[in-house]
Amino acid sequence: MINSIPPVVPAGRMRALPQPEFELPGGMLLRPWAAHDVPALVESCLDPDIRHWNRPALLSPAEAEERIARWHARWQDEEAAIWAVAPAAGGPAVGLIGIGDLDLAGGSGEILYWLLPAGRGHGVMVPATERVSRWAFEDLGLHRIRITHSVANPASCAIATKAGFPLEGTMRGALLHADGWHDEHLHARLRTDAPV
């Protein structure tokens, strides 16, 4: 059966784009993950806050290297776009931001993010979220981007709201964490929304 609705983003568009780097205020940079970021990725899986809100599996250095390689492959497979948040002057990642759960035909994806302690408190995640969103709408061509987070995580809620993602509602018992089921806030932006 032929679908009468054309894809929002044609297959191959993302693969044809090089993964860009974005300068952020405060001397920070969004860039693709690299081999020298392996220790930061291993550390992220041990951080209590990242473990609580993002539920990562513990990674050995070899597994972290494989994960970084998989992120690069997922760009080519048009499944996800994952950036390292890092000092522009060089050095390892202090955080992650990306768009996962990509549905190019349907024109949607979900922003995910975390920061290591070295990256927290500098106000980097709001501009990072704004910049990745702008890329997803203007360069990739998505129609809708969402952010979900536990209602018990006010820091994530503040980032989403400040980055122009209004709260649309609460999804009850939506995600299982180590301490039980959490209700999740759903925030979203459309390409047609007014700029932040």
Side-chain angles (χ1 to χ4, degrees):
M1 176 184 240
I2 297 174
N3 191 343
S4 62
I5 301 174
V8 176
V9 178
R13 177 180 288 173
M14 181 172 163
R15 184 179 306 115
L17 298 171
Q19 185 171 3
E21 293 187 355
F22 301 116
E23 292 185 11
L24 299 175
M28 299 301 284
L29 178 73
L30 300 183
R31 60 163 173 75
W33 282 76
H36 69 273
D37 295 313
V38 163
L41 186 54
V42 170
E43 180 187 350
S44 75
C45 299
L46 301 172
D47 180 79
D49 288 332
I50 294 172
R51 288 189 59 75
H52 184 72
W53 302 122
N54 296 276
R55 310 173 317 145
L58 297 177
L59 296 174
S60 69
E63 290 167 330
E65 190 171 345
E66 288 173 12
R67 174 144 317 160
I68 291 169
R70 191 165 57 244
W71 287 336
H72 291 277
R74 291 185 78 199
W75 178 282
Q76 291 302 311
D77 294 338
E78 302 185 314
E79 297 173 347
I82 308 295
W83 283 269
V85 180
V94 297
L96 173 148
I97 188 167
I99 302 180
D101 198 20
L102 271 174
D103 175 6
L104 296 185
S108 69
E110 181 170 355
I111 288 193
L112 49 124
Y113 46 71
W114 52 254
L115 287 169
L116 288 164
R120 295 176 194 153
H122 305 292
V124 68
M125 199 49 76
V126 170
T129 302
E130 292 170 346
R131 188 62 190 92
V132 167
S133 301
R134 194 162 69 248
W135 170 83
F137 288 136
E138 296 175 2
D139 297 338
L140 187 56
L142 295 184
H143 169 71
R144 177 181 165 89
I145 305 171
R146 67 189 175 277
I147 296 173
T148 63
H149 63 83
S150 169
V151 298
N153 186 349
S156 256
C157 198
I159 289 166
T161 303
K162 289 177 184 176
F165 284 74
L167 178 63
E168 292 189 339
T170 301
M171 302 178 293
R172 297 178 305 128
L175 193 61
L176 181 61
H177 288 258
D179 59 353
W181 288 98
H182 283 228
D183 292 351
E184 296 267 309
H185 276 165
L186 170 63
H187 301 256
R189 278 187 65 76
L190 302 179
R191 180 175 22 189
T192 54
D193 287 345
V196 179

